Amino acid sequence: GQPEDFVREGFPAEAEAHGIVAEIAMAEMRAAWFADGSVVQRIRDHVVLPARARGNRVWLGGISLGALASLAYAARHEADIEGILLISPYPATREVLKEMEDAGGLGRWHPVIPPQGDLEREAWLWLADRRQGATPVHCYFATSDRFAPGQRLMAGMLPPECVREVAGGHDWEAWRQLWSEFLARSKAVLQ
């Protein structure tokens, strides 16, 4: 989706309806930027650093690949952000998920990260290695989402109160519901 899709689907209006006063930046996300590894620096340069320069606390959120990009950002710049919302996250390529499975699970998986980085593997390692007091991560997804098995693996790394699974698929209807539920459940930390 494009930033205007989030406006059309009512995401900023829903935040306002929940009484959340926030500056919401809807950044463009391209698969090519994830593939070439530039997405983290783009988020930092165009969204996070300008927001922090204005004195704002920053939460990152994303749907599908944007959610995985949010985790990759945290893996490299956790101190920049207050929290993360994953909505129907794209978990990783089949290759990465198979590596984890073949290793006997996330706890036994020890990938080698090349010097130029590997956003998928960095994101998963960061998620698996979070400690008490780490940046909160919320994972909201739908039962019939085509990526639900990987999303459940992600959710299994989080406290139960930070996870929500609802009926639905990998579509705007489910994403709107998940956004609304996150806002209702998290209003106190977002203010």
Side-chain angles (χ1 to χ4, degrees):
Q2 298 297 315
E4 56 270 16
D5 296 332
F6 289 87
V7 174
R8 183 191 70 240
E9 295 295 332
F11 278 60
E14 187 69 16
E16 188 176 322
H18 278 82
I20 295 169
V21 178
E23 178 182 330
I24 299 176
M26 293 164 282
E28 184 176 6
M29 170 66 201
R30 294 187 182 175
W33 296 341
F34 198 93
D36 71 12
S38 69
V39 71
V40 168
Q41 195 60 47
R42 288 173 186 273
I43 293 169
R44 191 160 206 243
D45 292 344
H46 299 288
V47 178
V48 175
L49 293 180
R52 291 185 60 86
R54 291 189 299 276
N56 295 335
R57 294 180 316 125
V58 177
W59 274 73
L60 289 182
I63 296 173
S64 198
L65 188 58
L68 185 59
S70 295
L71 284 178
Y73 187 94
R76 293 186 178 179
H77 304 289
E78 179 178 6
D80 289 355
I81 58 176
E82 301 294 319
I84 299 171
L85 170 60
L86 311 173
I87 296 179
S88 298
Y90 172 74
T93 59
R94 288 185 185 118
E95 174 188 344
V96 171
L97 295 173
K98 179 140 178 42
E99 280 178 22
M100 286 185 236
E101 183 181 327
D102 290 349
L106 188 54
R108 295 173 180 250
W109 179 61
H110 303 289
V112 175
I113 306 295
Q116 70 272 20
D118 183 317
L119 295 178
E120 287 181 89
R121 289 170 179 86
E122 289 174 49
W124 275 97
L125 289 172
W126 178 84
L127 188 62
D129 194 37
R130 294 174 59 253
R131 291 171 177 70
Q132 184 73 17
T135 300
V137 177
H138 297 259
C139 184
Y140 283 43
F141 62 98
T143 300
S144 298
D145 191 305
R146 66 183 177 266
F147 303 120
Q151 293 163 349
R152 286 188 189 99
L153 186 59
M154 285 179 162
M157 305 303 300
L158 304 173
E161 65 271 14
C162 292
V163 175
R164 182 76 172 113
E165 184 173 342
V166 300
H170 197 77
D171 55 41
W172 284 107
E173 183 178 349
W175 301 336
R176 283 190 309 270
Q177 179 184 350
L178 294 165
W179 173 243
S180 183
E181 290 196 22
F182 170 73
L183 294 172
R185 293 172 82 182
S186 304
K187 183 175 179 176
V189 298
L190 296 174
Q191 295 292 16

